[in-house]
Amino acid sequence: MKLSRTLTMLLTLALAPMAFASSPTPNDMLKKKVEDTLGLEVSSVSAAPVSGLYQVITNRGVLYITQDGSKLIHGNIYDLDSSMKNLTEAALAGPRLEMLKNFEDKMLVYKAQNEKHVVTVFTDITCGYCRKLHREMADYNKLGITVRYLAFPRQGVPSPNADEMEAVWCAKDPLKAMDDAKAGNAIAAAKCDADIAGQYNLGGSFGVNGTPAIVLEDGSMIPGYQPASALYDMLERNVAR
């Protein structure tokens, strides 16, 4: 009898950590709620800058959810005490840099000879301001700014727009094909493992909803065209901070 009680006690102690480890945490439950309800991929759940809210980073940007998982907020949170710092944007900075690493071999790179800064631009070959930025590539490079392109076909994937961008990425000379496409010239169809869909989805997870969208070295993102001098000043200010 004594041996039986001892074995029971030992089994209980051994299984207790396993039961504890398998119990879902509040973060796990919120993650499942967002994934099941919205069909999104959740990469992390953490406390939000606002008490009572959780910050959920998904493949479609940042969401905020109440502790009980019943209410969802989609929008930016700003810090009034820190010159209106966009806390939502800041939350994505680190994850963006990590996710970009997986796409470095897919980027079309216009490298500055005397490189001082590197930016990543989500671009579309039909976008007017994307073409304007591209026409001024020499100005960016002259200031030491290397520009790395990722594809963000505004018509989505699949689409004729996405096929055209794949043709650029898969051309024998992709940089020349990009130059031609941005000048409005037709590009011969081509197929390869450029993963235009993956690039497009990456942009969506970053919060890109228009092109060009420029990711800076600290992971922050600015929407729209920026003249070379303005972008350079911005990059220099970030370094000085």
Side-chain angles (χ1 to χ4, degrees):
M1 181 70 71
K2 184 175 180 181
L3 179 60
S4 177
R5 285 200 301 270
T6 301
L7 287 173
T8 301
M9 186 186 315
L10 289 173
L11 282 171
T12 301
L13 290 172
L15 292 173
M18 295 174 61
F20 178 77
S22 63
S23 299
T25 67
N27 286 16
D28 292 334
M29 291 185 285
L30 292 176
K31 179 178 185 290
K32 187 175 189 307
K33 182 72 176 285
V34 171
E35 291 180 334
D36 291 351
T37 306
L38 302 178
L40 299 177
E41 296 176 15
V42 175
S43 56
S44 70
V45 179
S46 59
V50 176
S51 178
L53 290 180
Y54 281 78
Q55 176 176 279
V56 184
I57 296 181
T58 77
N59 61 329
R60 284 294 177 267
V62 179
L63 301 173
Y64 298 99
I65 190 169
T66 53
Q67 191 169 5
D68 64 358
S70 66
K71 304 294 185 298
L72 186 76
I73 299 171
H74 181 211
N76 293 327
I77 295 177
Y78 296 89
D79 190 339
L80 291 174
D81 294 329
S82 297
S83 303
M84 287 292 288
K85 179 181 179 181
N86 188 331
L87 300 179
T88 304
E89 173 63 23
L92 279 172
R96 281 187 187 128
L97 294 178
E98 284 302 310
M99 289 187 281
L100 279 176
K101 292 178 182 178
N102 297 325
F103 283 84
E104 287 181 348
D105 63 336
K106 306 297 184 187
M107 296 175 180
L108 302 190
V109 181
Y110 287 79
K111 187 172 178 58
Q113 185 173 357
N114 298 309
E115 184 179 279
K116 297 179 182 177
H117 301 287
V118 178
V119 298
T120 305
V121 180
F122 285 90
T123 192
D124 182 293
I125 57 174
T126 66
C127 151
Y129 276 104
C130 295
R131 290 182 172 184
K132 179 174 175 59
L133 185 154
H134 194 78
R135 286 196 300 270
E136 299 169 12
M137 186 62 70
D139 296 333
Y140 295 98
N141 289 166
K142 186 177 180 180
L143 289 173
I145 302 173
T146 288
V147 176
R148 310 187 303 184
Y149 277 145
L150 285 173
F152 192 84
R154 294 179 298 166
Q155 294 176 10
V157 180
S159 70
N161 185 201
D163 292 342
E164 291 170 349
M165 297 196 74
E166 183 177 28
V168 171
W169 257 256
C170 299
K172 289 182 179 179
D173 186 343
L175 297 189
K176 183 181 183 304
M178 179 65 81
D179 295 342
D180 290 341
K182 289 289 181 76
N185 300 326
I187 306 298
K191 296 285 185 181
C192 67
D193 63 348
D195 193 12
I196 299 299
Q199 296 183 50
Y200 176 76
N201 291 333
L202 180 70
S205 71
F206 282 16
V208 175
N209 52 30
T211 52
I214 305 173
V215 182
L216 306 184
E217 292 161 312
D218 63 356
S220 60
M221 187 173 72
I222 52 176
Y225 160 82
Q226 296 289 322
S229 59
L231 182 59
Y232 179 80
D233 290 343
M234 195 178 305
L235 292 164
E236 287 289 292
R237 285 196 299 271
N238 281 357
V239 170
R241 284 191 306 197

